[in-house]
Amino acid sequence: MTVFEEMAEDGVIWQNGEFVDWADATTHVLTHGLHYGTGIFEGVRAYDTEQGTALFRWDEHLDRFYQSAKPYDMEIEYSREELTEATLATIRRNDLESAYVRPIAFYGYHSLGVSPGDCPTDVVVAAWPWGAYLGEEALEEGIEVMVSSWRKHASSQIPTNAKTTGLYVNSMLAGEEARRNGFAEAIVLNKEGNVAEGPGENLFLVRDDTIYTPGLSESILDGITRDTVITLAEERGYEVNDTTSISRGELNTADELFFTGSAAEVTPIRQVDNVVIGNGSRGPVTEELQQAFFDLVERRTDEHDDWFTYV
């Protein structure tokens, strides 16, 4: 039985201001967001800590949620306080000690021209158990990735700083291409041919104990886990270059590479295409930052308590 099948037995989802049974959380087939990808969303982790279940960096995710709606003139009628309480209640009512949380807003059912016109904005919060995104073994052993033939769109085409539902077709194409070729995940280049990110992750490169990650101008999403790892690295004395451009060739000569993301957390990369990275396993800098990350989110340290919203 899949996680969703289990949740369908007695789970609930918050939909437009009220809780509905998991199986009844539906929308019309002529919903605007279904046809045109006109929706925005977040992916948030809630961790099981000694102090209780806690959402990680909820405020920052909520900031980005509202900011993502702006380019699409999407008005979210619920306040930050209302969405926060809806999210906490969703976790409680589903009796989840740890969870992946998905707030989503999209243009709903009213008309089907490209312009959303008077279509309502539907808002939904769901939560369910979700382990390591790329597999538990990937966190320790690392993954093999390929550079995708698909390029990341530029911010002059579609806003890259908005977490938009329809844009993840680009991610799906890159990820499925990688999996068809026997790799766990993809790396996507931008239109200039420099490294952008993964399909659902930001990328970090380590060379001579200095850390590099593509800047926001490289057509990347401003990842919240990316920001977390930058902060943790700088607190541990590392020099972090977070406005840089990384060429495709630099991937091959890196000492270490790793992905970050709310779903992926901190996942090492051991091979790109046919090139082994470093010694072909999780590198020491990656391991240190990964350990620091999990110590933080599982509250084995009292650092950054303001990053946690307790359920």
Side-chain angles (χ1 to χ4, degrees):
M1 183 179 289
T2 68
V3 169
F4 280 1
E5 287 171 335
E6 292 176 358
M7 294 298 296
E9 291 186 347
D10 55 9
V12 296
I13 289 175
W14 186 89
Q15 185 174 23
N16 293 326
E18 61 184 13
F19 284 99
V20 298
D21 289 342
W22 185 281
D24 295 331
T26 59
T27 189
H28 197 281
V29 295
L30 295 183
T31 291
H32 194 276
L34 175 63
H35 290 255
Y36 301 116
T38 48
I40 54 98
F41 71 100
E42 283 296 315
V44 189
R45 288 273 191 182
Y47 288 94
D48 182 13
T49 78
E50 292 184 0
Q51 293 83 7
T53 302
L55 286 164
F56 182 59
R57 303 200 70 173
W58 171 251
D59 287 338
E60 289 83 356
H61 280 286
L62 205 53
D63 287 342
R64 191 171 63 185
F65 188 68
Y66 284 101
Q67 291 165 3
S68 292
K70 290 181 178 179
Y72 307 107
D73 293 325
M74 185 180 291
E75 294 186 11
I76 298 172
E77 64 176 282
Y78 302 98
S79 68
R80 295 178 64 96
E81 293 73 22
E82 288 173 316
L83 286 185
T84 298
E85 180 50 40
T87 300
L88 297 177
T90 299
I91 295 171
R92 292 189 204 108
R93 291 185 62 155
N94 286 297
D95 196 25
L96 297 170
E97 294 181 344
S98 64
Y100 186 81
V101 180
R102 172 55 54 84
I104 184 171
F106 54 91
Y107 280 121
Y109 173 69
H110 181 270
S111 60
L112 210 54
V114 173
S115 171
D118 294 326
C119 290
T121 298
D122 291 341
V123 183
V124 176
V125 179
W128 62 90
W130 198 357
Y133 178 61
L134 294 168
E136 294 291 343
E137 68 283 354
L139 295 175
E140 182 174 349
E141 298 175 7
I143 59 172
E144 298 177 357
V145 306
M146 68 169 284
V147 176
S148 177
S149 64
W150 296 99
R151 295 292 178 96
K152 180 70 183 284
H153 54 272
S155 59
S156 60
Q157 298 168 313
I158 307 173
T160 54
N161 60 338
K163 197 168 175 70
T164 310
T165 58
L167 304 191
Y168 278 76
V169 169
N170 180 251
S171 297
M172 186 205 74
L173 288 168
E176 291 308 297
E177 178 187 37
R179 283 178 278 280
R180 283 195 303 270
N181 284 281
F183 295 91
E185 190 60 297
I187 291 174
V188 183
L189 308 181
N190 60 24
K191 67 182 181 65
E192 289 79 21
N194 293 322
V195 174
E197 55 191 2
E201 309 91 359
N202 291 116
L203 182 135
F204 285 77
L205 179 151
V206 181
R207 185 170 56 237
D208 296 329
D209 287 334
T210 299
I211 299 171
Y212 303 85
T213 189
L216 300 184
S217 62
E218 299 297 316
S219 298
I220 70 164
L221 183 71
D222 188 6
I224 292 164
T225 309
R226 172 184 183 270
D227 178 74
T228 299
V229 169
I230 289 170
T231 301
L232 293 175
E234 290 177 338
E235 289 174 346
R236 283 152 182 79
Y238 288 103
E239 178 185 348
V240 181
N241 294 282
D242 62 353
T243 60
T244 192
S245 295
I246 297 175
S247 70
R248 177 174 180 169
E250 287 178 277
L251 297 173
N252 299 334
T253 58
D255 297 331
E256 304 176 37
L257 295 171
F258 60 91
F259 278 142
T260 65
S262 294
E265 297 169 308
V266 180
T267 299
I269 297 170
R270 67 171 185 258
Q271 181 175 318
V272 178
D273 296 326
N274 296 316
V275 178
V276 173
I277 304 304
N279 63 6
S281 63
R282 178 178 58 185
V285 177
T286 303
E287 184 174 7
E288 180 182 357
L289 295 177
Q290 186 188 65
Q291 186 64 55
F293 176 81
F294 283 110
D295 284 346
L296 173 68
V297 298
E298 294 171 4
R299 306 310 289 134
R300 294 192 290 266
T301 172
D302 59 3
E303 293 179 277
H304 301 291
D305 193 59
D306 58 324
W307 281 355
F308 295 85
T309 301
Y310 290 92
V311 176

